[in-house]
Amino acid sequence: MNRVYLDYAATTPTHPDVVQAMLPFFGESFGNASSLYSYGREARAAITAARSSVARLIGADEDEIVFTGGGTEADNMALKGIAFAADGKYNHIITTSIEHHAVLGSCEFLENLGFHVTYLPVDKYGLVAPDDVRKAITDNTLVISVMHANNEVGTIQPIAEIGRIARDAGVYFHTDAVQTAGHVPIAVNDMGIDLLSVSAHKLYGPKGVGALFVRTGTRISPLIHGGAQERNRRAGTENLAGIVGFGTAAELARGTMTEEATVLGTLRDRLITGLLERIPEAQLNGHPTSRLPNNVNVSIDYVEGESMLLHLDMEGICASTGSACTSGSLEPSHVLLSMGLSHQLAHGSLRLSLGKWTTGEDVERVLETLQEIVSKLRAMSPLYKAPGRSAQ
Ligand SMILES: *Cc1c(COP(=O)(O)O)cnc(C)c1O
């Protein structure tokens, strides 16, 4: 049975060209980038090329890219790094209730150290109101952190507008762009961004490598101390092969992003329309138009997301409920609850995220399979009364 992978938001397969580009760095090109002989120089040159590819993807300068061990580390470095470098007066952070746990966890940690954090609400589509951001700013505000697009429901935030508000107020602006980098155009200068997190494995690169964009002039403390790597901003011998793979993935994404978004947007809309037509009492979660081109998130009333996942898995279809981090716990998604969904609808949510190798046939197969699964599960549910089925 052919598997259908619809969980690109959790991780993407590493592109074959990326794997090819990485291979020499596990073999003959093994040098340490800090060494002064030729092997070291080769490694250094490869890292420089990768840095410039990642910088180009988001419209930054090479010097503004710090390689990290992934998106989670980039988010931690942005928030804690800026907090640790601040003088005592600036002890207020503004973020949202729908951020990734990498941001929320860092904020909770800083709260324990005495920082104050404002968690802004979102509307029913998962949108943050720029006016709420403006009103939350005080004389003590240090940084605003609002994600570019949400990993669960795909809603894209008005980042440029929030960036302008931050700039006008003289407050730093961080955005978690892990879901958008390489998928949606980003220009850090036009968008007023000072700090931006990226992860390679969400754009067809390898796992365990990412980057934080740090605008020139932004004061930030390192989290990892030791050697002088990454211009004293992140110590430790560089993940050479990973960084090379990240650079290659960024370069590929820059070339294919626009066309891919068009193709995926069409498949996404076909999947959304099909689901809403074929499954009664299903609703789309997230914004109808300001939305990642590859994200579908629906709530299907009277069924459990986990049951749908298990049945889909038996049919060879990989999907997700809420996010990979929250599945496995019984708590429903903090994102869906923030958007005002009931616990029941939040528990009945399903995320289908599309990518480079998704086909129209995949979409058709999911539609047919899910329709059958939902009918079967609802037939067993004591709560569900099918249209026309009389109450007992
Ligand atoms: C995946 C993800 C992260 C974490 O990135 P890792 O590289 O897996 O640590 C952070 N933020 C968002 C929005 C994500 O989707």
Side-chain angles (χ1 to χ4, degrees):
M1 177 170 59
N2 269 340
R3 282 203 297 179
V4 175
Y5 184 75
L6 289 173
D7 205 11
Y8 284 82
T11 193
T12 57
T14 315
H15 194 289
D17 294 354
V18 170
V19 175
Q20 281 309 312
M22 290 170 74
L23 284 177
F25 295 90
F26 294 110
E28 71 267 25
S29 305
F30 62 86
N32 184 322
S34 301
S35 307
L36 296 177
Y37 41 79
S38 60
Y39 282 123
R41 284 197 300 273
E42 260 172 50
R44 175 124 310 273
I47 290 176
T48 302
R51 198 185 303 283
S52 109
S53 298
V54 172
R56 251 197 313 266
L57 184 66
I58 59 170
D61 283 341
E62 265 173 46
D63 288 351
E64 298 174 314
I65 300 297
V66 181
F67 286 118
T68 66
T72 299
E73 186 186 324
D75 284 340
N76 273 261
M77 184 178 177
L79 290 155
K80 295 180 195 170
I82 206 105
F84 295 163
D87 80 45
K89 176 181 177 231
Y90 296 99
N91 62 357
H92 178 227
I93 296 167
I94 298 172
T95 187
T96 80
S97 54
I98 60 158
E99 296 297 310
H100 190 273
H101 286 290
V103 166
L104 292 178
S106 298
C107 285
E108 276 164 37
F109 173 77
L110 289 168
E111 279 183 295
N112 288 330
L113 294 185
F115 285 84
H116 299 285
V117 182
T118 301
Y119 298 92
L120 296 174
V122 294
D123 69 8
K124 63 177 176 176
Y125 299 118
L127 270 182
V128 177
D131 230 32
D132 286 350
V133 177
R134 194 194 323 270
K135 286 179 194 146
I137 297 172
T138 71
D139 288 345
N140 303 322
T141 305
L142 173 66
V143 60
I144 297 166
S145 181
V146 177
M147 70 199 314
H148 191 185
N150 183 266
N151 47 301
E152 293 187 34
V153 298
T155 301
I156 300 175
Q157 303 296 341
I159 285 303
E161 217 177 321
I162 297 170
R164 256 196 310 278
I165 291 168
R167 183 138 305 177
D168 288 348
V171 171
Y172 288 122
F173 179 39
H174 167 248
T175 187
D176 175 338
V178 172
Q179 286 292 329
T180 49
H183 304 283
V184 170
I186 294 176
V188 287
N189 293 334
D190 297 343
M191 294 169 145
I193 297 163
D194 300 304
L195 298 149
L196 177 141
S197 308
V198 194
S199 177
H201 77 98
K202 304 284 176 79
L203 53 102
Y204 306 98
K207 292 168 185 54
V209 59
L212 182 67
F213 156 76
V214 182
R215 179 173 295 287
T216 304
T218 307
R219 275 194 352 125
I220 185 159
S221 288
L223 300 190
I224 314 280
H225 298 93
Q229 290 91 353
E230 298 299 292
R231 305 166 104 238
N232 290 309
R233 292 172 295 186
R234 205 261 191 182
T237 300
E238 297 87 346
N239 173 5
L240 177 58
I243 288 170
V244 167
F246 187 10
T248 308
E251 205 56 46
L252 286 172
R254 213 160 50 86
T256 56
M257 164 162 74
T258 311
E259 196 194 328
E260 198 166 290
T262 310
V263 173
L264 291 181
T266 306
L267 289 174
R268 171 199 66 187
D269 292 341
R270 213 198 292 172
L271 184 51
I272 293 174
T273 310
L275 287 171
L276 299 183
E277 270 173 13
R278 295 190 200 193
I279 302 177
E281 289 173 85
Q283 70 169 56
L284 178 69
N285 296 321
H287 199 279
T289 54
S290 184
R291 182 180 198 97
L292 286 172
N294 74 328
N295 175 289
V296 176
N297 188 309
V298 286
S299 278
I300 300 178
D301 212 352
Y302 306 106
V303 290
E304 288 285 327
E306 280 77 13
S307 314
M308 285 190 279
L309 277 199
L310 292 176
H311 283 83
L312 282 171
D313 184 40
M314 286 190 272
E315 300 296 328
I317 297 170
C318 312
S320 163
T321 173
S323 71
C325 313
T326 43
S327 61
S329 86
L330 288 174
E331 273 300 293
S333 140
H334 67 289
V335 176
L336 296 176
L337 294 183
S338 296
M339 289 161 56
L341 267 74
S342 66
H343 273 62
Q344 181 170 324
L345 277 176
H347 273 303
S349 79
L350 191 69
R351 180 185 71 186
L352 301 160
S353 46
L354 288 52
K356 218 179 257 300
W357 291 286
T358 306
T359 64
E361 279 167 34
D362 294 344
V363 168
E364 209 34 57
R365 190 162 134 205
V366 173
L367 284 172
E368 276 167 29
T369 312
L370 192 61
Q371 189 178 14
E372 283 169 28
I373 290 172
V374 171
S375 310
K376 224 175 352 185
L377 290 174
R378 279 180 173 170
M380 295 187 298
S381 162
L383 293 175
Y384 185 67
K385 311 225 180 344
R389 201 171 83 168
S390 62
Q392 288 168 357

